[in-house]
């Protein structure tokens, strides 16, 4: 044995990564489409109503979620173990 994972174990890892990436991408979509939750004026942050700063806070949050999903889904080149 060369320490390789059996094919069924590799498939489970791939499925787990896809599910985790999907959850990372679904979180911002769900949080921003559920408008009644954040459609209010207070609390204010530096005079900006909650409605606006909540959406603005999700801009870097979405970028981080997409980056993490990318890291989970990217393919690594096969290494030559000769």
């Amino acid at each position: 044995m060369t320490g390789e994972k059996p094919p069924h174990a590799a498939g489970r890892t791939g499925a787990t990564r896809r599910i985790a990436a999907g959850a990372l991408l679904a979180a911002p979509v769900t949080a921003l489409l559920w408008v009644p939750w954040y459609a209010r004026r207070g609390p204010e942050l530096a005079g900006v109503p909650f409605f606006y700063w909540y959406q603005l806070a999700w801009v870097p949050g979405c970028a981080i979620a997409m980056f993490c999903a990318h890291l989970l889904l990217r393919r690594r080149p096969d290494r030559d173990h000769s």
Side-chain angles (χ1 to χ4, degrees):
M1 284 305 257
T2 60
E4 294 178 18
K5 292 181 181 178
H8 66 279
R12 264 186 283 162
T13 302
T16 303
R17 287 175 178 253
R18 286 191 302 274
I19 291 169
L24 280 169
L25 296 175
V29 171
T30 304
L32 289 168
L33 286 179
W34 191 16
V35 178
W37 188 82
Y38 64 92
R40 60 181 187 263
R41 185 158 181 80
E44 293 184 358
L45 180 67
V48 177
F50 181 74
F51 180 78
Y52 295 110
W53 67 258
Y54 176 81
Q55 292 178 43
L56 188 59
W58 273 106
V59 173
C62 288
I64 291 167
M66 287 192 307
F67 179 70
C68 291
H70 166 73
L71 290 178
L72 284 170
L73 296 177
R74 71 179 175 166
R75 293 179 180 241
R76 292 178 183 85
D78 292 333
R79 294 190 176 118
D80 187 14
H81 294 289
S82 339

